Amino acid sequence: MAHPYHGLNELREMFLSYFESKGHLRLPSFSLIPPANDKSLLLINSGMAPMKTWFTGEEEPPRHRVCTCQKCIRTGDIENIGKTDRHGTYFEMLGNFSFGDYFKKEAIPFCWEFLTKVVGLEEDRLYPSIYLDDDEAFEIWNKDIGIPAERIFRFGKEDNFWEHGSGPCGPCSEVYYDRGPEHGCGKPGCTVGCDCDRYIEVWNNVFSQFDNDGQGNYSELKQKNIDTGMGLERLACVCQNVNSLFDVDTVMNITNKVSEITGAHYGESHAKDVSLRVITDHIRSAVFMICDGVLPSNEGRGYVLRRLLRRAARHGKLLGINHAFLYEVVDTVIHENECAYPDLREKQAYITKVIRTEEENFARTIDGGMKIYDEMLAAHKAAGETVFSGADAFKLYDTYGFPVDLTVEMAQEAGMSVDRDGFDKMMEEQRVRARKAREALGDLGWAGIEFGKEMPATTFLGYDHDEAQGKVLAIVAEGELRDEVAAGAEATLVLDQTPFYAEMGGQVADHGVIRCDGGVLEVKDVQKNKGGKFLHSGLVTEGVLKVGDTVTATIDTERRKAIRRSHSATHLLDAALKKVLGDHVHQAGSLVEPDRLRFDFTHFEAITPEQLTEIDRLVNDAILEGYSVVTEELPIDEAKAKGAVAVFGEKYGETVRVVEMGDFSMELCGGTHLDNTAKAGTFRIKSEGSIASGVRRIEATVGKLSLEVMNHNQELLFRAAQVFKTSPGELAAKAEQQAAELKSTRQALEKFKAEASLGEARQFLTAAKDVGGLKVLTVHRDGMDAGALRQMGDFLRDKEAGVVAVLSSVNGGKITFLAVCGKEAVARGVKAGDLVKTVCAVCGGKGGGKPDSAMGGGSDLLKLDDALAAVDDFVAEKLGI
């Protein structure tokens, strides 16, 4: 009997509901952007990747049984996308996880029950596999589940040992589904493990019991874990009896939209099928990446996104679409996925704007560079070459913005390969040239120290208290845990509770003091580690501090007030930007310091002066309105339903803090704020500009710093008015008048100097030597610039057809030469270009130019007279005298 049909969205809910019934906590998908403390991944590529610290035991999970449906991106096989049934860059991974709770005895029966009883797959079509020496898993499959020994396959490390970079890993047991001989290769002995499409893996039980340090060294984990992964699209293929993930219901609906726009349909040709699949896959990936805060750029995950969008756009061109069209597919992608990911609909306008902007930018790139590419390709083919040079590929990338992957694809279509090694070498050379010195991220001493779960997270009291008592739980000095630390030492203290705000969310840390009867620590930095411990760093200025001491922690309240002013003003600025520029504006980063703020946001064109003035006005109006700043803690869904704005890239728990400022601003925020907007004082925008493609930055001041700037500017105004002997109100008119008078005086002076110079030139002509009928002269005047020399030289040349003149001047220890020859002199073979080369060479320099006028320089001042003396001999030689 055939198994029942299930839609992809239905399967996702069936899986999560089943494991909820088995005591698992259902968690929403983590962001595609890995946690800040995980540098091993560019993008989340598996269900367990965001949970590494729960697997290793570094952090306590919210429950020891968890289930998720995780968004994933993998781009290792991007060249195969669209060409095979199995490869996709975006996919969803269903997973049930145990952190030190159950193990193989429970995990395998869960797997079997879900596949056979819940989904309804035929038992006789399911085949388990195990790691070579995993007899425990064999016994469970064979004895407990009842699978005959000949239907259980043992595979080696490549197939049945799961690891992805550094982190938790272990042996696994997979389950394969037999799709039937019609999907097979027909070869004798075709069975589970064959490369054909008959036997497809639908479930992977990973028995996570080791930790890989990334260098191939394995250590036993403190706790044994279960990490189950099952591709949602792959399971949907089986349940819907379709050939590929592109034929699954939700994915095919996206392809139908692409077909509607392009006019291309499945089955018309292999090339069209590939293009339709590439566009469908890549637009799915792009929508989810942008929703999670990734922006197109030339590095890191931003480059992955740019590459996907540009490949999709180019395949649109292959289907005859020469205008931006990908953004039109966004609504369909969201429609198919919003039941599980409602934030897609919330951010639709923003996602659409990002994709359309990138498409339009790429269209200009293609149009500008395609002609150059065609010329390069023709040149290679004309030379009989089969390899497109790395230098040409790099020029296309560097000058015309062509991604190298695009060049590779186009070259392959023309029957050529690209010299990637040559390209990579030139890219590396460019990176070395462009690499700017970065400030070292100071070693905070505690970076290598791990505080275990036995030490509780620090309780933050700083929303309501500027001072509080706490207990010293740990001390770190010189990179080591200490029992005590004395005056003169740099140290880091962990307290059980604190009023100090740790640097996060763009807000800088509090400063202040921690003191007890025995000692004092002046706190200059506070950080929060991944285990939730607040790390107070600074200098011990008095006495001794010990683990176990009860201390009084006191923040610098004036500094905190100034930080509050900046943070509340940042929220007002964010709201004003949305009102003036549009809802596509999202925070892309911020820095909140005492009375100073920096705000990065997504916007795709320059902000006009009128818009900037309006933004400034809206913020100051909101401050003067004196809105009460109300904070409350709400469940995340209730906060979003209320309209609170979330920040891209931020990880929110089930309960969030909502900061509301009248009807002007409402955001999710863990920072510290004013109780009334009026306390922010004057808001002043200092600068606005672009910092990356699609990202702009505003820097501004508030409070006392704004007042200091205003007072300083006013002082400058009065001083300037005093200098001009006028009042501040008349200063602009007076300055314009003085500038006009100065310009007029300068013009008169220049005219006088020119007339004086020309008068000198007339005198020089009368004193010129006669050499073979030509008038030869040399002149030296210190302090003349090149323009003055040319003016005098042009006069001599135009005044006397037979003149040969060399003019020189010394400025800053360097000699400048100008040679001029009249028409008659040039006709007789005496040329200024040759003459100036000869003269410059005497002084260790170079020169050149036209026959009638040439310039050069020299550095040996002692040879200047010799150089000028050589002019007569040069002319005589040219005339044959």
Side-chain angles (χ1 to χ4, degrees), residues 814-858:
K814 298 287 184 184
I815 310 168
T816 303
F817 289 108
L818 172 74
V820 293
C821 295
K823 288 182 181 179
E824 181 185 339
V826 173
R828 295 183 62 184
V830 183
K831 297 179 181 177
D834 298 333
L835 175 55
V836 85
K837 284 179 187 175
T838 301
V839 172
C840 290
V842 176
C843 293
K846 294 181 180 179
K850 298 177 180 177
D852 63 343
S853 181
M855 292 196 81

Short mmCIF file of all heavy atoms in Angstrom, two decimals, residues 814-858:
data_model
loop_
_atom_site.label_atom_id
_atom_site.label_comp_id
_atom_site.label_asym_id
_atom_site.label_seq_id
_atom_site.Cartn_x
_atom_site.Cartn_y
_atom_site.Cartn_z
N LYS A 814 64.45 71.99 -4.96
CA LYS A 814 64.31 71.34 -6.27
C LYS A 814 64.39 72.39 -7.38
O LYS A 814 63.86 73.49 -7.23
CB LYS A 814 62.96 70.61 -6.36
CG LYS A 814 62.80 69.48 -5.35
CD LYS A 814 63.66 68.28 -5.69
CE LYS A 814 63.40 67.14 -4.73
NZ LYS A 814 64.28 65.98 -4.99
N ILE A 815 65.05 72.00 -8.49
CA ILE A 815 65.19 72.91 -9.63
C ILE A 815 64.11 72.60 -10.65
O ILE A 815 63.86 71.43 -10.97
CB ILE A 815 66.56 72.76 -10.31
CG1 ILE A 815 67.69 72.82 -9.27
CG2 ILE A 815 66.76 73.82 -11.38
CD1 ILE A 815 69.04 72.37 -9.82
N THR A 816 63.45 73.62 -11.17
CA THR A 816 62.51 73.47 -12.29
C THR A 816 63.10 74.17 -13.52
O THR A 816 63.53 75.33 -13.43
CB THR A 816 61.15 74.10 -11.96
OG1 THR A 816 60.63 73.49 -10.78
CG2 THR A 816 60.16 73.91 -13.11
N PHE A 817 63.15 73.44 -14.65
CA PHE A 817 63.66 74.00 -15.91
C PHE A 817 62.52 74.11 -16.91
O PHE A 817 61.65 73.22 -16.99
CB PHE A 817 64.72 73.07 -16.52
CG PHE A 817 66.03 73.06 -15.78
CD1 PHE A 817 66.40 71.95 -15.02
CD2 PHE A 817 66.90 74.14 -15.83
CE1 PHE A 817 67.60 71.92 -14.33
CE2 PHE A 817 68.11 74.12 -15.15
CZ PHE A 817 68.47 73.01 -14.39
N LEU A 818 62.52 75.19 -17.69
CA LEU A 818 61.63 75.32 -18.84
C LEU A 818 62.47 75.72 -20.04
O LEU A 818 63.24 76.69 -19.97
CB LEU A 818 60.56 76.40 -18.59
CG LEU A 818 59.70 76.73 -19.83
CD1 LEU A 818 58.70 75.61 -20.12
CD2 LEU A 818 58.97 78.06 -19.67
N ALA A 819 62.33 74.97 -21.15
CA ALA A 819 63.02 75.31 -22.40
C ALA A 819 61.98 75.69 -23.44
O ALA A 819 60.95 75.02 -23.56
CB ALA A 819 63.85 74.12 -22.88
N VAL A 820 62.22 76.78 -24.17
CA VAL A 820 61.33 77.17 -25.27
C VAL A 820 62.16 77.47 -26.52
O VAL A 820 63.29 77.95 -26.43
CB VAL A 820 60.47 78.40 -24.91
CG1 VAL A 820 59.48 78.06 -23.82
CG2 VAL A 820 61.33 79.59 -24.52
N CYS A 821 61.58 77.15 -27.70
CA CYS A 821 62.24 77.43 -28.97
C CYS A 821 61.23 78.05 -29.92
O CYS A 821 60.11 77.54 -30.06
CB CYS A 821 62.79 76.14 -29.59
SG CYS A 821 64.10 75.37 -28.61
N GLY A 822 61.61 79.13 -30.57
CA GLY A 822 60.74 79.77 -31.55
C GLY A 822 60.63 78.93 -32.81
O GLY A 822 61.35 77.95 -33.01
N LYS A 823 59.72 79.37 -33.72
CA LYS A 823 59.46 78.60 -34.95
C LYS A 823 60.72 78.42 -35.78
O LYS A 823 60.99 77.35 -36.32
CB LYS A 823 58.39 79.30 -35.78
CG LYS A 823 57.00 79.21 -35.19
CD LYS A 823 55.98 79.90 -36.11
CE LYS A 823 54.58 79.83 -35.52
NZ LYS A 823 53.60 80.52 -36.38
N GLU A 824 61.51 79.50 -35.90
CA GLU A 824 62.73 79.45 -36.73
C GLU A 824 63.73 78.48 -36.12
O GLU A 824 64.35 77.68 -36.85
CB GLU A 824 63.36 80.85 -36.85
CG GLU A 824 64.60 80.87 -37.72
CD GLU A 824 65.28 82.24 -37.75
OE1 GLU A 824 64.59 83.26 -37.43
OE2 GLU A 824 66.48 82.27 -38.05
N ALA A 825 63.88 78.51 -34.79
CA ALA A 825 64.83 77.62 -34.11
C ALA A 825 64.42 76.17 -34.32
O ALA A 825 65.26 75.29 -34.60
CB ALA A 825 64.89 77.94 -32.63
N VAL A 826 63.13 75.88 -34.20
CA VAL A 826 62.64 74.50 -34.38
C VAL A 826 62.90 74.05 -35.81
O VAL A 826 63.33 72.92 -36.07
CB VAL A 826 61.14 74.41 -34.04
CG1 VAL A 826 60.59 73.02 -34.39
CG2 VAL A 826 60.90 74.70 -32.56
N ALA A 827 62.63 74.96 -36.76
CA ALA A 827 62.84 74.62 -38.17
C ALA A 827 64.31 74.29 -38.45
O ALA A 827 64.61 73.48 -39.33
CB ALA A 827 62.38 75.78 -39.04
N ARG A 828 65.24 74.89 -37.71
CA ARG A 828 66.66 74.65 -37.91
C ARG A 828 67.18 73.48 -37.07
O ARG A 828 68.39 73.24 -36.99
CB ARG A 828 67.46 75.92 -37.59
CG ARG A 828 67.13 77.07 -38.56
CD ARG A 828 67.96 78.30 -38.28
NE ARG A 828 69.40 78.07 -38.44
CZ ARG A 828 70.35 78.97 -38.18
NH1 ARG A 828 70.00 80.17 -37.75
NH2 ARG A 828 71.63 78.69 -38.34
N GLY A 829 66.25 72.72 -36.41
CA GLY A 829 66.64 71.49 -35.71
C GLY A 829 66.89 71.62 -34.24
O GLY A 829 67.33 70.66 -33.60
N VAL A 830 66.68 72.83 -33.69
CA VAL A 830 66.87 73.00 -32.24
C VAL A 830 65.50 72.82 -31.58
O VAL A 830 64.61 73.66 -31.77
CB VAL A 830 67.45 74.39 -31.92
CG1 VAL A 830 67.69 74.50 -30.39
CG2 VAL A 830 68.74 74.62 -32.68
N LYS A 831 65.35 71.73 -30.79
CA LYS A 831 64.05 71.39 -30.22
C LYS A 831 64.10 71.44 -28.68
O LYS A 831 65.04 70.94 -28.07
CB LYS A 831 63.61 70.00 -30.68
CG LYS A 831 63.42 69.94 -32.20
CD LYS A 831 63.02 68.57 -32.66
CE LYS A 831 62.85 68.54 -34.19
NZ LYS A 831 62.53 67.18 -34.68
N ALA A 832 63.04 72.03 -28.12
CA ALA A 832 62.99 72.25 -26.67
C ALA A 832 63.05 70.94 -25.89
O ALA A 832 63.68 70.86 -24.83
CB ALA A 832 61.73 73.02 -26.30
N GLY A 833 62.36 69.88 -26.41
CA GLY A 833 62.35 68.60 -25.70
C GLY A 833 63.75 68.03 -25.53
O GLY A 833 64.12 67.56 -24.45
N ASP A 834 64.56 68.08 -26.62
CA ASP A 834 65.93 67.57 -26.54
C ASP A 834 66.79 68.45 -25.63
O ASP A 834 67.61 67.96 -24.86
CB ASP A 834 66.55 67.53 -27.94
CG ASP A 834 65.80 66.59 -28.87
OD1 ASP A 834 65.18 65.64 -28.35
OD2 ASP A 834 65.82 66.83 -30.09
N LEU A 835 66.58 69.76 -25.74
CA LEU A 835 67.38 70.71 -24.96
C LEU A 835 67.16 70.52 -23.46
O LEU A 835 68.10 70.48 -22.66
CB LEU A 835 67.01 72.15 -25.37
CG LEU A 835 67.66 73.29 -24.57
CD1 LEU A 835 69.18 73.16 -24.56
CD2 LEU A 835 67.22 74.63 -25.15
N VAL A 836 65.87 70.38 -23.04
CA VAL A 836 65.60 70.27 -21.61
C VAL A 836 66.13 68.95 -21.04
O VAL A 836 66.57 68.89 -19.88
CB VAL A 836 64.09 70.45 -21.32
CG1 VAL A 836 63.33 69.14 -21.48
CG2 VAL A 836 63.86 71.01 -19.91
N LYS A 837 66.13 67.88 -21.83
CA LYS A 837 66.70 66.61 -21.37
C LYS A 837 68.19 66.77 -21.06
O LYS A 837 68.69 66.29 -20.05
CB LYS A 837 66.51 65.52 -22.44
CG LYS A 837 65.11 64.97 -22.54
CD LYS A 837 65.02 63.92 -23.64
CE LYS A 837 63.58 63.47 -23.86
NZ LYS A 837 63.48 62.54 -25.01
N THR A 838 68.89 67.46 -21.95
CA THR A 838 70.33 67.68 -21.77
C THR A 838 70.62 68.50 -20.52
O THR A 838 71.50 68.17 -19.72
CB THR A 838 70.91 68.40 -23.01
OG1 THR A 838 70.66 67.60 -24.17
CG2 THR A 838 72.40 68.64 -22.85
N VAL A 839 69.86 69.58 -20.34
CA VAL A 839 70.06 70.48 -19.20
C VAL A 839 69.75 69.76 -17.89
O VAL A 839 70.51 69.83 -16.91
CB VAL A 839 69.18 71.73 -19.35
CG1 VAL A 839 69.22 72.57 -18.10
CG2 VAL A 839 69.64 72.55 -20.56
N CYS A 840 68.61 69.02 -17.84
CA CYS A 840 68.21 68.31 -16.62
C CYS A 840 69.22 67.24 -16.23
O CYS A 840 69.48 67.02 -15.04
CB CYS A 840 66.82 67.67 -16.79
SG CYS A 840 65.47 68.87 -16.88
N ALA A 841 69.76 66.55 -17.24
CA ALA A 841 70.71 65.47 -16.97
C ALA A 841 71.93 65.97 -16.20
O ALA A 841 72.48 65.26 -15.35
CB ALA A 841 71.13 64.81 -18.27
N VAL A 842 72.38 67.21 -16.47
CA VAL A 842 73.54 67.78 -15.79
C VAL A 842 73.28 67.87 -14.28
O VAL A 842 74.17 67.66 -13.45
CB VAL A 842 73.89 69.17 -16.36
CG1 VAL A 842 75.04 69.80 -15.57
CG2 VAL A 842 74.25 69.06 -17.84
N CYS A 843 71.99 68.14 -13.91
CA CYS A 843 71.62 68.30 -12.49
C CYS A 843 71.00 67.03 -11.90
O CYS A 843 70.33 67.07 -10.86
CB CYS A 843 70.63 69.45 -12.32
SG CYS A 843 71.36 71.06 -12.70
N GLY A 844 71.19 65.90 -12.58
CA GLY A 844 70.69 64.63 -12.04
C GLY A 844 69.20 64.46 -12.15
O GLY A 844 68.59 63.78 -11.31
N GLY A 845 68.59 65.07 -13.18
CA GLY A 845 67.14 64.95 -13.30
C GLY A 845 66.72 64.52 -14.69
O GLY A 845 67.53 64.09 -15.51
N LYS A 846 65.41 64.64 -14.96
CA LYS A 846 64.84 64.23 -16.24
C LYS A 846 63.88 65.30 -16.72
O LYS A 846 63.36 66.10 -15.92
CB LYS A 846 64.09 62.91 -16.11
CG LYS A 846 64.98 61.72 -15.80
CD LYS A 846 64.15 60.45 -15.70
CE LYS A 846 65.03 59.24 -15.40
NZ LYS A 846 64.23 58.00 -15.27
N GLY A 847 63.62 65.29 -18.04
CA GLY A 847 62.65 66.23 -18.58
C GLY A 847 62.24 65.82 -19.98
O GLY A 847 62.73 64.84 -20.54
N GLY A 848 61.30 66.55 -20.56
CA GLY A 848 60.84 66.25 -21.90
C GLY A 848 59.65 67.11 -22.26
O GLY A 848 59.13 67.86 -21.43
N GLY A 849 59.24 67.03 -23.53
CA GLY A 849 58.08 67.81 -23.96
C GLY A 849 58.06 68.01 -25.46
O GLY A 849 58.69 67.24 -26.22
N LYS A 850 57.38 69.04 -25.91
CA LYS A 850 57.21 69.31 -27.33
C LYS A 850 58.43 70.06 -27.88
O LYS A 850 59.23 70.61 -27.12
CB LYS A 850 55.95 70.14 -27.55
CG LYS A 850 54.68 69.43 -27.10
CD LYS A 850 53.47 70.34 -27.28
CE LYS A 850 52.20 69.65 -26.83
NZ LYS A 850 51.01 70.53 -26.93
N PRO A 851 58.56 70.16 -29.22
CA PRO A 851 59.70 70.88 -29.82
C PRO A 851 59.75 72.35 -29.44
O PRO A 851 60.82 72.93 -29.34
CB PRO A 851 59.48 70.70 -31.32
CG PRO A 851 58.65 69.45 -31.44
CD PRO A 851 57.76 69.44 -30.25
N ASP A 852 58.56 72.97 -29.19
CA ASP A 852 58.59 74.40 -28.91
C ASP A 852 58.53 74.74 -27.42
O ASP A 852 58.78 75.87 -27.02
CB ASP A 852 57.44 75.11 -29.64
CG ASP A 852 56.09 74.63 -29.16
OD1 ASP A 852 56.02 73.55 -28.53
OD2 ASP A 852 55.08 75.33 -29.40
N SER A 853 58.19 73.73 -26.56
CA SER A 853 58.12 73.98 -25.11
C SER A 853 58.25 72.67 -24.34
O SER A 853 57.56 71.70 -24.66
CB SER A 853 56.79 74.65 -24.75
OG SER A 853 56.73 74.92 -23.38
N ALA A 854 59.14 72.66 -23.36
CA ALA A 854 59.35 71.43 -22.58
C ALA A 854 59.80 71.78 -21.18
O ALA A 854 60.45 72.80 -20.95
CB ALA A 854 60.38 70.54 -23.27
N MET A 855 59.44 70.87 -20.21
CA MET A 855 59.81 71.12 -18.82
C MET A 855 60.53 69.93 -18.22
O MET A 855 60.42 68.80 -18.73
CB MET A 855 58.57 71.42 -17.96
CG MET A 855 57.90 72.74 -18.28
SD MET A 855 56.78 73.26 -16.97
CE MET A 855 57.94 73.98 -15.82
N GLY A 856 61.25 70.17 -17.13
CA GLY A 856 61.93 69.10 -16.43
C GLY A 856 62.39 69.58 -15.08
O GLY A 856 62.07 70.68 -14.64
N GLY A 857 63.16 68.73 -14.39
CA GLY A 857 63.62 69.09 -13.06
C GLY A 857 64.97 68.50 -12.76
O GLY A 857 65.50 67.67 -13.51
N GLY A 858 65.55 68.94 -11.66
CA GLY A 858 66.83 68.44 -11.20
C GLY A 858 66.96 68.63 -9.71
O GLY A 858 66.20 69.38 -9.10
#
